[in-house]
């Protein structure tokens, strides 16, 4: 009895400590982007930027409101996830604002669209919407295990989200990829939200079928395969998602979904054969798509030798500019606001924003950002290990794995490790769908970590134990 009481007391003491740590880290997460904003303004104009105070107050309000609700609704949660997301989001706003000031970006926008509209204010609005969704998830989702009830509904919702860009009059073709829908003046990328919904479906299905999937029924080419009736539904949803995305010419999101599927399947079954099969299938799918998708072929050519086709291919021209940005950045970078990554053109603040980090902050800055992303993934995996239920373990693993794969795909593509896929860096790049969906992802991880770390309630004392205490001399 005394042991349980002590455990509960320690947990109660630990909750305020976690939140105080989070508040201190949030202070740094707001101060660092404000200092970076000041640095960019001094580098560009030699004076304090006029919007610095408003930017600092806005970011501080978002972080403060989020902290208060986390303290109220998830007081036992991981204290690092919110500050890390806030810091990345804040620095992303600074980098987008820095590129907004570029005369080259303004001229390119005027040439393409006949007008120019700064992206940083819109990104700040999207960030506010993302934080609002973050808070809504924390308030409404009091227990992540409720999501398990909607396993098959999640499957249907994911299919609908992936089909929306193919609907005539609703979908939009942007640079060869049909991954957007237009609702009035806004553009939405449903695939960003589909990755969260698919993680819920995979978690619910694998939790029920993990024992059957782990038991091999036959051996094929050295791989132990489960029974078809157990694996059939999940392979069906994977294949359907892949087919839809192939028709949408979006290889990056296809690889992301498939990678998340393989990671969760491996965690559920503990069979390394799934990793081998997943790598073979992903390579085969990539080769198949590249054989008939023109924009994918252009990106493969730009990956192989961008300087051989920079005059004839826009993909090669952009990739060559990206590589030169990284090269000119060196170890410590040219300094915020003093680079030339705006030469990349129209996608400098979205697909290629990591090139600005490489040039203006150098290798040290690149490694610092990758460390911040790595910490989010590490805290997500730690949350999965601490979760007390198999559904929570799988969901935290799937969301963390999807986040890590997106970082690898984007950073690897920009730095020339793999071909470009057109995805955006979470929290850093311009894009409303991405920042909103990733705030929802962080909220779910915080909810799972709160449930995992919440002290178990003290059991009621049994009548026999009370009688023993009374009779004992």
């Amino acid at each position: 009895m005394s042991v349980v009481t002590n455990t509960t007391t320690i947990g109660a003491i630990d909750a305020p400590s976690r939140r105080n740590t989070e508040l201190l880290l949030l202070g740094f997460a707001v101060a660092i982007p404000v200092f970076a904003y000041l640095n960019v303004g001094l580098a560009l104009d030699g004076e304090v930027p006029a919007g610095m105070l408003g930017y600092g107050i806005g970011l501080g309000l978002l972080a403060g409101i989020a902290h208060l609700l986390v303290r109220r609704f998830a007081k036992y949660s991981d204290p690092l996830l919110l500050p890390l997301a806030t810091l990345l989001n804040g620095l992303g706003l600074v980098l987008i604002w820095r590129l907004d000031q570029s005369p080259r970006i303004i001229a390119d926008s005027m040439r393409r669209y006949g007008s120019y509209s700064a992206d940083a204010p819109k990104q700040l609005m999207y960030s506010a919407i993302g934080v609002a969704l973050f808070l809504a998830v924390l308030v409404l989702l009091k227990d992540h295990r409720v999501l398990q009830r909607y396993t098959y509904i999640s499957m249907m919702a994911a299919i609908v989200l992936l089909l929306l860009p193919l609907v005539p009059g609703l979908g939009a073709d942007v640079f060869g990829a049909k991954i957007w829908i237009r609702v009035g003046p806004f553009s939405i990328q449903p695939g960003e939200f589909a990755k969260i919904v698919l993680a819920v479906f995979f978690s619910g299905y694998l939790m029920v079928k993990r024992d059957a999937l782990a038991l091999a029924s036959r051996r094929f080419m050295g791989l132990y395969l489960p029974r078809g009736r157990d694996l059939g539904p999940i392979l069906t949803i994977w294949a359907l998602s892949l087919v839809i995305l192939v028709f949408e010419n979006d290889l990056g999101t296809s690889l992301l979904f498939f990678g998340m599927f393989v990671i969760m399947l491996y965690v559920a079954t503990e069979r390394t054969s799934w990793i081998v099969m997943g790598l073979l299938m992903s390579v085969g799918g990539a080769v198949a798509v590249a054989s008939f998708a023109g924009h994918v072929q252009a990106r493969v050519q730009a990956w192989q030798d961008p300087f051989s086709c920079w005059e004839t291919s826009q993909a090669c021209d952009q990739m060559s500019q990206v590589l030169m940005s990284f090269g000119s950045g060196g170890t410590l970078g040219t300094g915020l606001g003093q680079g030339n990554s705006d030469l990349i053109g129209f996608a400098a603040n979205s697909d290629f924003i990591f090139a600005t980090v490489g040039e203006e902050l150098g290798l040290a800055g690149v490694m610092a950002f990758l460390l911040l992303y790595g910490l989010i993934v590490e805290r997500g995996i730690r949350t999965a290990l601490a979760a007390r239920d198999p559904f929570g373990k799988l969901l935290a693993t799937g969301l963390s794995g999807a986040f890590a794969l997106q970082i690898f795909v984007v950073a690897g593509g920009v730095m020339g490790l793999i071909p470009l896929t057109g995805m955006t860096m979470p929290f850093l790049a311009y894009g409303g769908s991405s920042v909103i969906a990733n705030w929802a992802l962080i909220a779910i991880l915080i909810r799972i970590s709160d449930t995992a770390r919440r002290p178990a309630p003290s059991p009621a004392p049994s009548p026999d134990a009370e009688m023993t205490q009374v009779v004992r001399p």
Side-chain angles (χ1 to χ4, degrees), residues 6-239:
N6 290 339
T7 302
T8 306
T9 304
I10 291 172
I13 295 173
D14 190 50
S17 176
R18 287 175 185 272
R19 301 284 67 85
N20 292 336
T21 300
E22 180 181 84
L23 182 60
L24 177 63
L25 294 175
L26 274 175
F28 285 105
V30 173
I32 292 173
V34 171
F35 177 77
Y37 194 103
L38 172 64
N39 200 338
V40 172
L42 292 175
L44 293 176
D45 303 319
E47 58 185 21
V48 177
M52 189 183 73
L53 181 60
Y55 168 73
I57 292 175
L59 186 61
L61 281 176
L62 292 178
I65 294 172
H67 169 74
L68 290 176
L69 266 77
V70 169
R71 183 182 284 268
R72 170 66 177 84
F73 293 99
K75 60 182 178 180
Y76 296 98
S77 62
D78 192 300
L80 291 182
L81 287 171
L82 178 59
L84 287 170
T86 302
L87 176 57
L88 288 169
N89 199 167
L91 290 174
L93 287 167
V94 172
L95 293 174
I96 294 169
W97 176 75
R98 177 262 177 276
L99 292 170
D100 280 344
Q101 313 308 308
S102 168
R104 296 190 186 98
I105 298 292
I106 296 174
D108 184 66
S109 177
M110 293 296 297
R111 179 175 59 85
R112 288 177 177 274
Y113 310 112
S115 63
Y116 173 73
S117 176
D119 290 328
K122 291 182 285 186
Q123 185 72 358
L124 182 59
M125 179 189 69
Y126 296 142
S127 300
I129 296 174
V131 173
L133 180 59
F134 168 89
L135 300 177
V137 170
L138 286 183
V139 173
L140 300 177
L141 184 65
K142 301 186 182 302
D143 191 336
H144 66 274
R145 289 168 291 190
V146 174
L147 296 174
Q148 185 183 345
R149 304 174 187 173
Y150 306 101
T151 297
Y152 292 98
I153 295 178
S154 299
M155 178 186 70
M156 299 305 299
I159 294 175
V160 171
L161 287 171
L162 294 172
L163 281 173
L164 283 177
L166 298 178
V167 176
L170 184 63
D173 190 327
V174 180
F175 305 112
K178 301 176 181 178
I179 59 176
W180 299 88
I181 61 172
R182 295 194 184 278
V183 181
F186 299 101
S187 296
I188 303 172
Q189 190 174 347
E192 289 286 347
F193 303 94
K195 68 181 179 185
I196 299 177
V197 179
L198 277 177
V200 174
F201 165 67
F202 287 144
S203 300
Y205 185 82
L206 288 172
M207 191 200 72
V208 176
K209 295 293 185 178
R210 66 184 186 277
D211 293 334
L213 291 171
L215 295 175
S217 62
R218 66 188 66 181
R219 184 173 180 174
F220 177 74
M221 296 181 63
L223 299 176
Y224 291 93
L225 302 178
R227 296 175 301 180
R229 65 175 179 270
D230 295 321
L231 191 58
I234 200 166
L235 282 180
T236 300
I237 183 63
W238 164 77

Side-chain angles (χ1 to χ4, degrees), residues 228-453:
R229 65 175 179 270
D230 295 321
L231 191 58
I234 200 166
L235 282 180
T236 300
I237 183 63
W238 164 77
L240 182 59
S241 301
L242 207 58
V243 167
I244 293 172
L245 291 173
V246 165
F247 279 110
E248 293 173 1
N249 290 332
D250 184 23
L251 179 61
T253 309
S254 301
L255 293 176
L256 175 65
F257 287 169
F258 182 46
M260 179 176 65
F261 161 76
V262 172
I263 289 173
M264 297 180 70
L265 189 57
Y266 168 71
V267 170
T269 62
E270 299 182 6
R271 287 194 172 275
T272 54
S273 57
W274 291 117
I275 300 295
V276 177
M277 179 179 289
L279 290 174
L280 293 175
M281 293 178 68
S282 62
V283 171
V287 172
V289 173
S291 64
F292 63 84
H295 79 288
V296 175
Q297 293 175 356
R299 287 176 175 176
V300 171
Q301 185 182 13
W303 168 61
Q304 291 174 333
D305 189 2
F307 297 100
S308 65
C309 56
W310 67 273
E311 293 181 332
T312 58
S313 170
Q314 187 178 40
C316 291
D317 178 57
Q318 286 182 316
M319 194 62 204
S320 61
Q321 294 290 350
V322 166
L323 293 179
M324 287 189 288
S325 293
F326 278 106
S328 62
T331 303
L332 299 178
T334 60
L336 283 172
Q338 301 181 55
N340 294 295
S341 59
D342 50 357
L343 289 169
I344 297 170
F346 64 92
N349 65 358
S350 54
D351 296 4
F352 302 104
I353 197 167
F354 209 51
T356 301
V357 176
E359 181 173 9
E360 301 191 354
L361 297 177
L363 177 62
V366 168
M367 296 305 296
F369 272 91
L370 293 179
L371 178 61
L372 293 175
Y373 284 119
L375 283 173
I376 292 180
V377 176
E378 186 270 338
R379 304 312 292 188
I381 298 299
R382 185 182 291 268
T383 295
L385 292 173
R388 301 167 186 170
D389 63 295
F391 177 78
K393 288 181 181 294
L394 285 172
L395 183 56
T397 301
L399 294 176
S400 302
F403 192 85
L405 282 172
Q406 187 164 351
I407 300 303
F408 169 76
V409 168
V410 177
V414 173
M415 291 188 285
L417 181 63
I418 59 175
L420 286 167
T421 58
M423 299 181 69
T424 55
M425 208 69 168
F427 294 114
L428 203 63
Y430 173 72
S433 302
S434 178
V435 71
I436 293 171
N438 282 295
W439 270 113
L441 184 150
I442 295 295
I444 296 174
L445 287 178
I446 285 179
R447 171 55 64 209
I448 298 173
S449 69
D450 175 66
T451 305
R453 293 170 171 83

